[in-house]
C-alpha cells in the first residue's frame, strides 16, 4: 500500500515525494513526514466541506434535472395527456441541462448556450435557419456598432474627463456620491453592457480613491456605489444590457410589439434615476457616519489628474472633441428614430465607421473590433435561438401553465399576484443564474406565454421582469461589475458581508420600486399593465 516514504530522485534529478498510501488511509508511521496527520486531516476536512457545499448542491440539482427529463419524456409519450409534445419535452430537457451547466460549472456561458442551440438543431427542434439568422440579427449588429463607438470613447478618454469634471464640483460626500451616480447613469447611453461601463469608470474610481485615501469609509462607499449604480441604471437604456435586446426579440418572435431605443428609454430612464438615487442614499446611510457626511471635500481636477494618465484638464484634445460630436450625434439619432425612421443598428454601424475612419475617427477599426466582446454577441445570439425554440415548440406555454397556471384561479387578483411573483422571482434569479442575459432567456418566454391568460400585458410583464433582473448585488459573483470592484488593489473595497448588508435593504426596495412603476407609473406613461 505505502509506495515511497522518503524523497527519491528521478533521472533528471527532480525531487518528488510520496508519503501516504494511494488510498489516503491514515498511517501513524508517517505522521512526522512531509504531510503530517493534522495537516492531512485539515486537507480532508477542507475537501469534505467543499463537497458538502457546492458539490452536494450540484448533485441534488443534477438528480432533479434528470427526474424532470424523465417526467417530460413520459408526458410527451402519453398521447392521451396531450399536455406536452415531443419537441416541447426535448426543448425543456436541453434548457434544463444548460441551466445546470450555467449554475454549477465553470464552463463558459457562451459555450453552453451555443452547444444547447446546436443540440436543439441536431434534434430537429430548432430550424437551422433560425440559429443562423440569430447570428445576423439586427440586435447583434446594433451591439457591434455600439462597441466600436464605445472603443473610441475609451481611447479618447472623454468619459473619464467628463466624470472627473462632474465630481470635482462636489463640496460634501453626499454631493460627491450623487454626482458620481449621475455620471454613471449617463454612461448607459454610450457604452453597451454593464461590464464595459464598469471598466470605463474604473480610472475615475481609482483616482478618487487615491485622493481620498485618508477617508477609508467614503472610499468604501464609492466602491459600492460604482457597480451598484451601473447595474441599477442599466434599465434606462436599450443598450444597457444584452438582456434588454433578448427581451425585445422574444416579444417580437411571440407576435408582440418589440421595444425601440426611444420607448425603452422613455419607460426605463425614470426607474433608473429613482433607483440610483435611492441606492446612493442607502449606501451613505449604511456605510458612512454622520461625521463622515459632514466633513467638507475639496477635490479639484488637478488632484485627480495627479492619479491618472488620461488627460482630464486643460483644453479638450482633438480626439475628445471629435468623440464628443460623434457620440452626441449617434445618441440624438437613436432618440429621434420615430422622426427619421433609420434603424438603430444602421445608426450604430455608421457611428462606428466614423469613429474608426481616418479623418474623423479616433481609433483604428482593427483595434476597435478586437475590443468587441464577441463571446457576448455569440451568447446573445444563441440565447435568442433558444428562446425562440421555447416559444415555437410550445414548451414555454406548457411550463408557464404548469408553474403559474394555478394563479388563474385567483379571480380578479390573478394578474396582480402574477406580476408580484414574476418580479420577486426575477429579482432573486441572480442567486442561481449569474448571467443577466441567461436569466431573461429563461424567464421572458414563460412571462410572455402566461401573461395574456391572466389579463396582464405581455409587453409590460416582460419589461417588469427584465427591470427586476437588474438587481444582482448579493454576491461579488452575481455580476461582473460587482466582481470587478471587489478586487481593487490599493483601495478599501467591500467584503461579502458588506454586500449582504446592502442587499438586505436594497432587494426589497428594488422589488417595491419595480412594482410601483409597473402598477402606477408606466401605465401613466402609456404602457398599461393590464389588458381587457
Amino acid at each position: 500500500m505505502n509506495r515511497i516514504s522518503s524523497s527519491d530522485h528521478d533521472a533528471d534529478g527532480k525531487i518528488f515525494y510520496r508519503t501516504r498510501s494511494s488510498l489516503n488511509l491514515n498511517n501513524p508511521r508517517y505522521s512526522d513526514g512531509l504531510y503530517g496527520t493534522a495537516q492531512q486531516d485539515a486537507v480532508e476536512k477542507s475537501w469534505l466541506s467543499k463537497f458538502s457545499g457546492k458539490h452536494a448542491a450540484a448533485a441534488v440539482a443534477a438528480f432533479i434535472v434528470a427526474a424532470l427529463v424523465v417526467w417530460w419524456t413520459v408526458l410527451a409519450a402519453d398521447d392521451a395527456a396531450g399536455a406536452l409534445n415531443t419537441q416541447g419535452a426535448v426543448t425543456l430537457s436541453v434548457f434544463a441541462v444548460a441551466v445546470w451547466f450555467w449554475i454549477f460549472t465553470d464552463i463558459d456561458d457562451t459555450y453552453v448556450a451555443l452547444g444547447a442551440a446546436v443540440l436543439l438543431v441536431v434534434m430537429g427542434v430548432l430550424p437551422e435557419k433560425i440559429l443562423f439568422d440569430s447570428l445576423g440579427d439586427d440586435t447583434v449588429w446594433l451591439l457591434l456598432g455600439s462597441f466600436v463607438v464605445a472603443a473610441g470613447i475609451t481611447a479618447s478618454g472623454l468619459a473619464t474627463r467628463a466624470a472627473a469634471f462632474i465630481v470635482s464640483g462636489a463640496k460634501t460626500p453626499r454631493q460627491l456620491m450623487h454626482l458620481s451616480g449621475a455620471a454613471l447613469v449617463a454612461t448607459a447611453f454610450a457604452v453597451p453592457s454593464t461590464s464595459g461601463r464598469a471598466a470605463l469608470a474604473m480610472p475615475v474610481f481609482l483616482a478618487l480613491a487615491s485622493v481620498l485615501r485618508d477617508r477609508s469609509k467614503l472610499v468604501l462607499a464609492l466602491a459600492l456605489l460604482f457597480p451598484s449604480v451601473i447595474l441599477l441604471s442599466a434599465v434606462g437604456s436599450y443598450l444597457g444590457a444584452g438582456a434588454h435586446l433578448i427581451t425585445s426579440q422574444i416579444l417580437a418572435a411571440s407576435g408582440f410589439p418589440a421595444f425601440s431605443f426611444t420607448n425603452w428609454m422613455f419607460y426605463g430612464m425614470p426607474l433608473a434615476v429613482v433607483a440610483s438615487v435611492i441606492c446612493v442614499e442607502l449606501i451613505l446611510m449604511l456605510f458612512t457616519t454622520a461625521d463622515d457626511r459632514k466633513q467638507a471635500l475639496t477635490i479639484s481636477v488637478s488632484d485627480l489628474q495627479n492619479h491618472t494618465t488620461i488627460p482630464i484638464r486643460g483644453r479638450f484634445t482633438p480626439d475628445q472633441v471629435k468623440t464628443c460630436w460623434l457620440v452626441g450625434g449617434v445618441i440624438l439619432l437613436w432618440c429621434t428614430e420615430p422622426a427619421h425612421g433609420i434603424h438603430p443598428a444602421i445608426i450604430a454601424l455608421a457611428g462606428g465607421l466614423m469613429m474608426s475612419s481616418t479623418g474623423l475617427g479616433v481609433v483604428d477599426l482593427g483595434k476597435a473590433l478586437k475590443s468587441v466582446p464577441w463571446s457576448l454577441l455569440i451568447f446573445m445570439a444563441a440565447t435568442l435561438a433558444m428562446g425562440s425554440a421555447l416559444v415555437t415548440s410550445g414548451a414555454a406555454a406548457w411550463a408557464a401553465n404548469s408553474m403559474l397556471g394555478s394563479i388563474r384561479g385567483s379571480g380578479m387578483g390573478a394578474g396582480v399576484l402574477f406580476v408580484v411573483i414574476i418580479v420577486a422571482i426575477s429579482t432573486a434569479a441572480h442567486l442561481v443564474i449569474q448571467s443577466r442575459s441567461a436569466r431573461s432567456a429563461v424567464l421572458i418566454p414563460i412571462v410572455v406565454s402566461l401573461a395574456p391568460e391572466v389579463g396582464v400585458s405581455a409587453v409590460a410583464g416582460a419589461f417588469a421582469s427584465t427591470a427586476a433582473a437588474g438587481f444582482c448585488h448579493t454576491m461579488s459573483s452575481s455580476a461582473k461589475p460587482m466582481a470587478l470592484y471587489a478586487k481593487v488593489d490599493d483601495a478599501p473595497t467591500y467584503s461579502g458581508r458588506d454586500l449582504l448588508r446592502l442587499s438586505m435593504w436594497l432587494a426589497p426596495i428594488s422589488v417595491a420600486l419595480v412594482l410601483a412603476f409597473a402598477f402606477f407609473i408606466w401605465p401613466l406613461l402609456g404602457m398599461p399593465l393590464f389588458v381587457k
Side-chain angles (χ1 to χ4, degrees):
M1 294 291 290
N2 295 314
R3 297 178 179 178
I4 301 175
S5 61
S6 61
S7 65
D8 293 333
H9 295 262
D10 63 9
D12 296 325
K14 296 179 181 178
I15 298 176
F16 60 94
Y17 293 87
R18 290 177 183 172
T19 58
R20 305 292 295 179
S21 71
S22 59
L23 297 179
N24 285 329
L25 299 176
N26 289 329
N27 192 330
R29 289 175 58 192
Y30 306 106
S31 59
D32 296 327
L34 180 65
Y35 297 106
T37 302
Q39 290 173 305
Q40 183 193 11
D41 291 343
V43 171
E44 291 173 350
K45 289 179 181 178
S46 174
W47 183 85
L48 288 172
S49 68
K50 289 181 180 179
F51 178 82
S52 64
K54 181 178 179 180
H55 293 84
V60 172
F63 176 80
I64 294 173
V65 169
L68 286 173
V69 170
V70 172
W71 178 45
W72 292 329
T73 303
V74 172
L75 286 178
D78 186 1
D79 295 332
L84 184 66
N85 59 33
T86 302
Q87 287 194 337
V90 171
T91 304
L92 286 175
S93 299
V94 172
F95 222 100
V97 173
V99 171
W100 186 90
F101 273 93
W102 280 333
I103 297 172
F104 294 108
T105 71
D106 295 328
I107 300 175
D108 187 83
D109 290 346
T110 300
Y111 188 93
V112 174
L114 193 57
V118 170
L119 186 59
L120 289 173
V121 171
V122 171
M123 300 186 75
V125 177
L126 184 67
E128 297 172 357
K129 188 176 185 302
I130 293 181
L131 176 59
F132 297 150
D133 287 350
S134 68
L135 292 169
D137 191 89
D138 56 3
T139 56
V140 175
W141 288 102
L142 172 60
L143 280 178
L144 177 60
S146 300
F147 275 115
V148 174
V149 173
I153 295 173
T154 303
S156 68
L158 178 64
T160 302
R161 180 169 192 149
F165 174 78
I166 292 171
V167 301
S168 63
K171 303 302 180 186
T172 65
R174 177 169 272 108
Q175 287 182 1
L176 174 64
M177 297 282 282
H178 280 289
L179 288 172
S180 299
L184 292 169
V185 171
T187 62
F189 292 100
V191 181
S193 85
T194 53
S195 56
R197 294 166 61 203
L200 186 69
M202 180 60 76
V204 178
F205 168 73
L206 292 175
L208 286 172
S210 298
V211 173
L212 301 170
R213 56 184 174 275
D214 57 336
R215 301 182 66 170
S216 58
K217 289 186 178 179
L218 183 55
V219 175
L220 170 61
L222 286 168
L224 284 166
L225 177 141
F226 272 65
S228 297
V229 170
I230 286 171
L231 291 169
L232 292 176
S233 62
V235 71
S237 171
Y238 186 51
L239 296 175
H244 303 169
L245 285 76
I246 291 174
T247 295
S248 184
Q249 291 303 307
I250 291 176
L251 283 169
S254 304
F256 296 100
F259 286 98
S260 67
F261 185 91
T262 306
N263 59 13
W264 188 287
M265 177 186 67
F266 187 66
Y267 299 125
M269 184 48 63
L271 174 60
V273 172
V274 174
S276 298
V277 170
I278 291 176
C279 180
V280 170
E281 286 295 326
L282 185 62
I283 291 173
L284 278 169
M285 179 187 75
L286 294 176
F287 298 97
T288 62
T289 64
D291 291 337
D292 292 326
R293 296 189 289 271
K294 288 178 182 178
Q295 294 181 23
L297 288 177
T298 54
I299 301 176
S300 66
V301 175
S302 297
D303 293 332
L304 296 174
Q305 183 65 86
N306 293 333
H307 300 281
T308 180
T309 57
I310 298 172
I312 59 176
R313 65 178 178 179
R315 300 186 62 179
F316 275 53
T317 66
D319 284 352
Q320 290 173 346
V321 173
K322 288 186 288 186
T323 302
C324 186
W325 282 107
L326 285 173
V327 173
V330 168
I331 294 176
L332 179 63
L333 288 173
W334 275 337
C335 294
T336 56
E337 179 196 349
H340 54 69
I342 303 176
H343 196 284
I346 299 299
I347 298 172
L349 289 172
L353 288 173
M354 287 188 288
M355 188 68 79
S356 58
S357 64
T358 303
L360 295 175
V362 300
V363 64
D364 179 72
L365 180 60
K367 186 177 294 185
L369 290 176
K370 288 180 181 178
S371 69
V372 173
W374 294 101
S375 179
L376 172 63
L377 298 186
I378 296 174
F379 176 81
M380 194 185 74
T383 50
L384 280 175
M386 293 170 66
S388 177
L390 279 174
V391 174
T392 56
S393 67
W398 181 86
N401 288 326
S402 299
M403 292 187 293
L404 301 173
S406 58
I407 295 176
R408 288 177 295 186
S410 303
M412 297 292 292
V416 174
L417 183 59
F418 171 78
V419 174
V420 172
I421 291 175
I422 286 301
V423 169
I425 291 175
S426 300
T427 302
H430 72 281
L431 297 173
V432 180
I433 305 175
Q434 278 72 35
S435 169
R436 197 169 183 166
S437 298
R439 295 200 294 272
S440 288
V442 172
L443 294 172
I444 299 304
I446 296 174
V447 173
V448 170
S449 297
L450 188 56
E453 297 188 24
V454 294
V456 174
S457 164
V459 175
F463 193 88
S465 173
T466 307
F471 175 84
C472 33
H473 298 63
T474 307
M475 300 175 290
S476 60
S477 60
S478 298
K480 290 179 182 177
M482 303 305 300
L484 180 62
Y485 282 82
K487 300 176 182 179
V488 180
D489 295 331
D490 302 324
T493 188
Y494 44 82
S495 63
R497 182 174 296 182
D498 294 325
L499 289 180
L500 288 175
R501 184 183 180 193
L502 176 63
S503 297
M504 287 178 61
W505 288 84
L506 192 57
I509 291 174
S510 179
V511 170
L513 199 56
V514 172
L515 290 175
F517 270 79
F519 286 114
F520 305 110
I521 307 300
W522 290 329
L524 293 177
L525 297 177
M527 186 170 63
L529 181 60
F530 300 105
V531 293
K532 297 181 180 179

